[in-house]
Amino acid sequence: MLRSTSRTIRLAKNVIKPTIIRSSRLNQFRSVAQLAHFKTPPNLTNEPVKNFSFNDTKDWDLLRASITKFTDSDQPLQIPLVINGEKIYKDKTLNQVNPAKHSQVLAEVSQASPKEIQLAIDSTKKAKKEWAQTSWVDRAAIFLKAADLISTKYRYDMLAATMLGQGKNVYQAEIDCVAELADFFRYNVKYAEEMYGVQPISTAPGVWNRVEYRPLEGFVYAVSPFNFTAIAGNLVGAPALLGNTVVWKPSATAALSNYLLLTILEEAGLPKGVINFIPGDPVEVTDIVVNDPEFSALHFTGSTDVFRQLYSKINTNVANGRYKDFPRIVGETGGKNFHLIHSSSSLNHAVLSTLRGAFEYQGQKCSATSRLYVPESLWPEFSENLNNQMSQITIGNCTENLHAFMGPVIHEASFNKVKDAIEEAKADPQLEVIAGGEFDKSTGYFIQPTLVRTDDPNHDFMKREFFGPLLTAYVYPDAEYESIMDSIDSVTKYGLTGSVFARDRKAIQLATDKLRYAAGNYYICDKSTGATVGAQPFGGSRTSGTNDKAGFGSLLSRFVSMRSIKENFYEIADFKYPSNIS
Ligand code: NAD
């Protein structure tokens, strides 16, 4: 586990025993598979999100204790590379700091050199055969057990690591590194089970047809973003569940929670070499990994520009004939997500949903609301109400001020990007800063939630992803409700999420029809964020990604290579067909 003198695994001491229900769920999976019948476990539900309300004193106490475990030492935690199950500590490290208090170094993260990157690739190859031959029930059990460890024994440690390292408040951490992560692991088992159960017909006499869902022949490269611990878990977990082995390059600003997750998977029984953890220079790691002839798939989540770069490197190698396979490329990328408010909408609901959509987790969700379209008739009341609500948002270091609604943005580059945009807005005659607009990085990377209004629906602020607490509004004439949709649809290159707020059913129908390709996740009278595994399969198209839908069975099909098998039980006695006999 985390190496740091005696702190090492005091991290695991807030133990809550996994419940009987959870173990019986495991048994259900076992017996189902032993019978070779495929059916969904009846009690599979989304992990309940803890409220952390004022009276939940036990939860708060356990959380505080976990936060202290990560922060009470003078020495930062040492995070190793993990290759073939072996922890490798390097002299060359990169600090992960608390974005809410950047003087606080949380971890010194070992950085892989070319030699270790190659070792990690070799390790995936070495582990592959045995892992691929491990029965799927045993593979599934590891992920089901990890889900239970996350939601019980390590719940508060995961929360603390994600809150400290990634600047989340407790609720945002709960829905990410506990609920969504456990959901990914559990629902992927359900979806894999269903996928394996889809088999071809065998209607001809004496013939048995079947499809074998082989893992990919080579290895998978998973590159994860900073903003969701759960996404990192799915990027590595989905391919591994299906028998693939993985090189994992975590985000430098999520290494703490990501490493803790890896140790949980190990405790759940993940064999050596199945997932190899390689923090390091992203370009260097990528160049070595995608140049290997046995590179079989990229599983990426992050910005569109980075995905393009990876895509292009892979394409060059495809063109050169370097690979054994045509690699699968799965990527979920950026967004410029909209809220379209119709004059018939419930104003207060639309305002509150917009505030949550735009400013929860500091606007650092790929699905965060960043474009707002409000009709002229509602704008005075809407903007006053939104302004008023925004003034009540509390911002702070969420591990000290545990009740803060917003924390910091993730790092200095992100701070500068949003700060520059706000300064640009202040100087641009086509933009007006309506609320917020302040920032301060003296202790942490804090930016006030900021609302900007533009009088140009084609303004660059309606196109660019800022990935911070910056929302741009355009006020449209009520009569232009239909034509504003053309602008919503075409002004950005993205197509991730979007919402329409209306009570008038015709207005909803029209938007649903005209905005068919504007969002891969489309909401009616709800905010553009908050997709739940199994309930709203997640992903967008256009330049928002390959839209393979995380949290749904379709994703899993990208990490298997099917083999059709026909077995014949009869023997022939003559090479001639009846028509050949005169
Ligand atoms: P990012 O693109 O900066 O980094 C993502 C990963 O790519 C990290 O591991 C990073 O180290 C690596 N990386 C960075 N530059 C690289 C390079 N040149 N070559 C190879 N790897 C490189 O993204 P981020 O800041 O971690 O996350 C925010 C972005 O992710 C936003 O654009 C957001 O919209 C997107 N995102 C999308 C989804 C989705 O499901 N669509 C979900 C979460 C985040």
Side-chain angles (χ1 to χ4, degrees):
M1 300 299 286
L2 301 174
R3 186 187 81 170
S4 181
T5 60
S6 57
R7 289 207 294 151
T8 309
I9 231 14
R10 277 192 285 127
L11 288 177
K13 289 259 170 75
N14 284 343
V15 176
I16 296 179
K17 293 250 174 344
T19 58
I20 311 263
I21 297 169
R22 298 271 179 245
S23 17
S24 68
R25 178 181 294 163
L26 265 176
N27 289 335
Q28 277 167 9
F29 274 99
R30 278 186 210 286
S31 56
V32 161
Q34 275 157 10
L35 289 169
H37 289 312
F38 295 92
K39 72 178 186 214
T40 306
N43 64 346
L44 182 61
T45 52
N46 291 104
E47 174 66 28
V49 173
K50 281 188 187 285
N51 281 327
F52 281 85
S53 57
F54 187 74
N55 295 327
D56 297 332
T57 47
K58 189 175 161 208
D59 285 329
W60 286 113
D61 287 347
L62 290 168
L63 175 65
R64 281 192 200 94
S66 281
I67 291 170
T68 305
K69 281 189 283 181
F70 286 102
T71 53
D72 70 346
S73 165
D74 297 338
Q75 295 299 313
L77 293 161
Q78 302 294 309
I79 294 186
L81 319 172
V82 182
I83 302 172
N84 195 28
E86 199 186 317
K87 296 177 176 38
I88 300 173
Y89 294 89
K90 300 289 312 256
D91 291 336
K92 187 179 174 199
T93 58
L94 190 70
N95 289 347
Q96 187 184 349
V97 301
N98 179 347
K101 196 202 280 184
H102 41 61
S103 59
Q104 183 179 33
V105 178
L106 298 168
E108 290 174 353
V109 184
S110 290
Q111 299 293 291
S113 70
K115 183 179 145 216
E116 285 108 21
I117 300 165
Q118 190 56 52
L119 279 175
I121 295 168
D122 296 344
S123 164
T124 61
K125 296 176 186 173
K126 197 168 149 231
K128 180 64 189 289
K129 192 167 175 206
E130 197 175 329
W131 180 240
Q133 284 177 352
T134 300
S135 91
W136 109 264
V137 179
D138 290 308
R139 284 189 256 123
I142 292 166
F143 286 94
L144 292 172
K145 179 167 177 180
D148 281 10
L149 288 169
I150 287 159
S151 60
T152 57
K153 182 176 176 183
Y154 291 108
R155 188 175 201 117
Y156 303 92
D157 289 344
M158 284 298 281
L159 289 173
T162 300
M163 291 171 72
L164 284 162
Q166 288 140 265
K168 298 203 171 194
N169 70 18
V170 69
Y171 181 76
Q172 295 302 318
E174 256 287 314
I175 59 174
D176 167 17
C177 66
V178 176
E180 185 168 311
L181 179 54
D183 287 350
F184 271 135
F185 286 170
R186 293 182 183 133
Y187 276 84
N188 281 344
V189 168
K190 162 186 149 71
Y191 293 131
E193 189 180 40
E194 287 169 2
M195 178 176 75
Y196 291 152
V198 175
Q199 292 294 325
I201 53 164
S202 295
T203 48
V207 169
W208 183 21
N209 298 315
R210 49 199 188 267
V211 161
E212 180 190 356
Y213 291 85
R214 302 172 302 183
L216 302 177
E217 196 170 1
F219 66 91
V220 175
Y221 180 37
V223 182
S224 52
F226 79 85
N227 68 334
F228 271 79
T229 309
I231 291 178
N234 191 46
L235 289 173
V236 295
L241 171 67
L242 302 169
N244 295 288
T245 51
V246 182
V247 174
W248 177 12
K249 201 220 71 61
S251 166
T253 43
L256 178 61
S257 62
N258 288 193
Y259 178 61
L260 180 58
L261 167 58
L262 182 72
T263 63
I264 292 170
L265 283 164
E266 285 172 343
E267 184 172 327
L270 189 78
K272 291 176 181 176
V274 172
I275 296 175
N276 299 277
F277 183 76
I278 307 293
D281 176 77
V283 176
E284 188 172 58
V285 176
T286 298
D287 285 350
I288 295 173
V289 171
V290 304
N291 276 343
D292 192 281
E294 290 182 41
F295 162 73
S296 269
L298 171 68
H299 200 191
F300 175 87
T301 300
S303 57
T304 299
D305 285 348
V306 171
F307 186 52
R308 276 211 183 92
Q309 288 173 38
L310 269 65
Y311 211 115
S312 142
K313 285 178 185 178
I314 295 164
N315 273 352
T316 305
N317 284 335
V318 168
N320 294 339
R322 179 181 282 273
Y323 300 130
K324 213 166 167 178
D325 259 330
F326 286 103
R328 308 282 172 90
I329 301 181
V330 177
E332 295 304 332
T333 60
K336 188 71 188 173
N337 313 297
F338 62 86
H339 273 191
L340 168 60
I341 316 297
H342 183 254
S343 53
S344 70
S345 67
S346 158
L347 189 134
N348 199 42
H349 172 68
V351 164
L352 296 174
S353 303
T354 301
L355 182 150
R356 283 185 169 178
F359 302 123
E360 279 181 345
Y361 190 35
Q362 299 77 262
Q364 297 177 117
K365 299 183 187 185
C366 50
S367 53
T369 318
S370 59
R371 293 185 281 158
L372 171 66
Y373 297 84
V374 184
E376 261 171 5
S377 61
L378 293 190
W379 176 247
E381 200 185 337
F382 192 100
S383 60
E384 191 190 336
N385 190 341
L386 182 56
N387 221 324
N388 179 30
Q389 298 291 345
M390 284 170 65
S391 68
Q392 296 172 47
I393 290 178
T394 46
I395 311 174
N397 179 343
C398 301
T399 52
E400 288 174 1
N401 175 4
L402 291 167
H403 298 285
F405 184 80
M406 276 175 61
V409 295
I410 191 70
H411 46 41
E412 188 164 18
S414 177
F415 178 89
N416 288 339
K417 186 178 181 183
V418 183
K419 171 187 84 76
D420 290 351
I422 292 172
E423 281 170 347
E424 210 180 309
K426 287 176 181 169
D428 186 334
Q430 286 192 311
L431 300 173
E432 182 192 358
V433 177
I434 305 261
E438 302 296 318
F439 35 78
D440 176 10
K441 65 170 180 183
S442 50
T443 51
Y445 302 115
F446 294 104
I447 298 181
Q448 259 189 347
T450 298
L451 173 64
V452 169
R453 179 180 170 181
T454 181
D455 56 16
D456 176 7
N458 296 313
H459 195 281
D460 193 46
F461 268 45
M462 304 303 260
K463 304 177 182 182
R464 242 195 293 163
E465 185 188 50
F466 297 117
F467 219 59
L470 175 53
L471 172 67
T472 308
Y474 174 72
V475 180
Y476 66 89
D478 289 42
E480 292 177 17
Y481 177 67
E482 183 167 358
S483 60
I484 197 60
M485 291 176 207
D486 295 326
S487 173
I488 293 174
D489 188 38
S490 61
V491 70
T492 95
K493 56 190 178 170
Y494 297 111
L496 192 52
T497 74
S499 309
V500 60
F501 290 82
R503 283 176 171 154
D504 176 341
R505 197 68 217 176
K506 284 213 169 98
I508 293 171
Q509 276 170 357
L510 190 62
T512 306
D513 184 33
K514 290 202 73 162
L515 297 171
R516 171 161 289 125
Y517 285 97
N521 279 62
Y522 175 71
Y523 296 87
I524 299 168
C525 297
D526 207 346
K527 62 184 167 42
S528 65
T529 61
T532 303
V533 173
Q536 293 95 27
F538 190 79
S541 53
R542 296 183 173 164
T543 63
S544 289
T546 54
N547 201 14
D548 289 291
K549 296 293 187 210
F552 209 47
S554 51
L555 178 81
L556 300 188
S557 68
R558 301 301 311 276
F559 299 104
V560 290
S561 173
M562 290 189 280
R563 173 163 76 150
S564 279
I565 300 174
K566 174 187 177 185
E567 184 164 357
N568 172 37
F569 299 138
Y570 294 166
E571 294 176 4
I572 57 172
D574 190 349
F575 76 89
K576 294 192 246 22
Y577 294 98
S579 59
N580 303 123
I581 300 165
S582 52

